[in-house]
Amino acid sequence: MKKIVILILCFTSAILTINAQNYTHEFGKFSSEEFQMKKYDKDPSAEAVVIYDIGTSFFTRDDDGFKLIFERKMKIKIFNKAGLKWAQQSIPYYEENNRAEIIVELKGNTYNYENGQVKISALDPKNSYNEKYNEHWFDKKFAMPDVKEGSVIEIYYRVVSPYLFNLRSWEFQCGIPTIYSEYTTKMIPFYEYVYIIQGTNKFDTFKTYTVSSSTSPFGLITYDDVVYFFSMKDVPAFKDESFITTSEDYIIKLDFQLATIHHPGGANELIMSTWPKLSEEMIDHASFGKYINNCKKKGKEITDTMKIASKSQTDKAKYIEHFVKSNFNWNGKSNKFATKNVKDILSSKTGNCADLNLLLAGLLNSAGIEAYPVLISTRDHGKIKLDYPFQHFFNYVLVYAKTDSSTVMLDATDPFSNFGEIPSRCINEKGLVIQKGKAEWLNLKSNSTSTRTFHIDLKLTQGKDSIKQNCRLVTTGFEAIDYRERFTSSYKDLKSELFGLNANPNDTLSPLNLKQIEKPFEIAFDQQNLAETIEGKIIISPFCGLAISKNPLTQPTRNYPVDITYKKSTRFQTSIAIPNGYKLLSQPLDMNVSNNLVKITFTTEIQSDGHINVTGNYEFKKDVYDTSDYIELKKYFKMIVDKFNEKIVLSKEV
């Protein structure tokens, strides 16, 4: 019988200080130290701290074979009002084909020290509810009772799973610091897992040993549990800043993947595949490769009605993509498999991303265009670990087409994306082209720069007590896609953003080229606001508060990239009419910064016709900045915030 093998992949390294307190880990116990703690000395600003978080996974047998048991107990100290949200907890569980993981035990206590006594409020498990997270994952959500500043909360639960592939992952890190975290897995020799470590290259404790007293019979075979123990102390909080894919890509954690099943009779079933073999499996899958073939067969009837036989392959591809976008609606769900048959998708005209994009691939092939599905992971789903060929890393499908003049990536889910543009949610490093006999990875990044340009005309009213603002926003690339979608789906929020605090019900946004996606998208909006005056001087914000006003990078350092998704540029062009009897008293100094990271320019010019022209531009030249760029990038953001919010001052002529 083979032994369980551990493969360890180190993504980043971190040095942790071992300085944990000695707390009891027994459920139902508490100490005076927990109530006396007013803050965590290693992170005094923390809103709460995890005192301990302990998990155990092991196998048990019943009449149906083996099941996985997962137990977890944790204790959290709440320091202030911001920390009260940690009273909201959830337990994820998996369900598929009418079989589900079962939470067989859930208990919890809230401890409050009041009037020299410890008050204990017990959790009632009935006060919980289930919420669907995606196709197979659900959350059991609950709130701990009577939680206030200074409370200590304690939770224990036990999950029984029939899904042996679903050995629980373990997160050592979360949004608040953790004093102590440990995870124990008790393995049996029939199931071999791959362990993937992220965020560190060492544990405070790692050990493995055999528990001989646990020797168990299975048929004619006896076996021992092999225990793997991991622990970490004084784990810092993960400060979830702007510009990341998902925190799951960077926190310190362990992931487990079932690699091989060793059957008692001697046969081995390989679960961990290779990328070419995974491609073959997807090609043979009824809801993937065979679905494309069925779409191709039916597609010949559809493409024949388009009368595109004489067109170039590029024009054919454009026509077919437009046909799918115009006639089929995305239901907002991500999936790598189609959920409907061809007949149903053609009649309902709605489906998930796989329903639509696999249909697109089939139609393109039926028209003689070489097209392949591309498996990807969206930004909120996390990065693909290229060393581990597992299907569950993927949650979305795109289309890769080869025409007579170029190769393009296509997505039929977004009616506002142009030909060859994929939604920004899909820009997440690489995608796997599904084709026979080989593994080809495509770069999903965009090399073009998406732009926003604000054209602003400012003029004081006759009484000099108000300023009229005539604004026009012109967008291109991913910025145009984003603003088109927001204009149609969240008009109220977009209006509030552009008008700011001075928005009123009568204000409107006027669009141009909303559906002409090959053209820049423009929005016009006008306002009249009270003028800011001090001792007869008129204070004017030339960019009307439309530039960023707060530095999104707030941490002293950062050990993961700054991922802004795509290269972007924002430009302001403002013309200010100087009223009769006034002159320019003070203006911001000009600025010109240009390097391989950013370009920042700012100029102020007085025109002969009595206008002041203020022009500013900030451009981010990379889509992803390395950790080594963080300090410089943070400095440039501060420059932008400071400079682009400076004021123009007008005074009366003497």
Side-chain angles (χ1 to χ4, degrees), residues 514-565:
L514 178 61
K515 296 184 178 180
Q516 289 74 42
I517 59 175
E518 71 282 358
K519 297 180 180 180
F521 177 51
E522 301 184 21
I523 302 173
F525 53 103
D526 300 332
Q527 260 193 312
Q528 182 168 317
N529 297 318
L530 292 175
E532 181 183 356
T533 59
I534 300 176
E535 297 178 350
K537 301 180 181 65
I538 301 173
I539 316 299
I540 298 174
S541 298
F543 301 151
C544 304
L546 294 168
I548 59 173
S549 58
K550 185 178 180 181
N551 192 335
L553 305 180
T554 60
Q555 300 304 317
T557 59
R558 180 160 163 159
N559 61 1
Y560 48 93
V562 178
D563 188 337
I564 65 172
T565 312

Side-chain angles (χ1 to χ4, degrees), residues 295-300 303 320 361-369:
C295 290
K296 180 180 179 181
K297 293 174 185 177
K298 187 67 177 177
K300 188 63 178 171
T303 55
I320 292 170
L363 293 178
L364 291 169
N365 281 312
S366 71
I369 298 170

Side-chain angles (χ1 to χ4, degrees), residues 547-615:
I548 59 173
S549 58
K550 185 178 180 181
N551 192 335
L553 305 180
T554 60
Q555 300 304 317
T557 59
R558 180 160 163 159
N559 61 1
Y560 48 93
V562 178
D563 188 337
I564 65 172
T565 312
Y566 49 85
K567 301 173 186 176
K568 55 189 68 176
S569 173
T570 300
R571 184 174 180 83
F572 295 90
Q573 295 178 325
T574 297
S575 177
I576 304 171
I578 302 176
N580 291 332
Y582 281 80
K583 65 179 180 179
L584 177 63
L585 178 64
S586 67
Q587 67 190 66
L589 296 175
D590 289 354
M591 173 182 284
N592 189 350
V593 176
S594 184
N595 51 47
N596 63 329
L597 300 181
V598 299
K599 181 178 181 180
I600 307 170
T601 60
F602 190 103
T603 59
T604 303
E605 297 178 343
I606 302 177
Q607 304 297 308
S608 58
D609 61 357
H611 285 76
I612 305 170
N613 288 347
V614 186
T615 302

Side-chain angles (χ1 to χ4, degrees), residues 33 49 51 261 313 327 343 359 443 466 493 509 577 625 631:
E33 289 179 327
V49 64
I51 296 173
I261 298 176
Q313 284 195 319
N327 290 278
K343 181 180 178 181
L359 170 65
N443 190 337
S466 298
D493 292 340
L509 305 176
Y625 291 86
I631 301 299

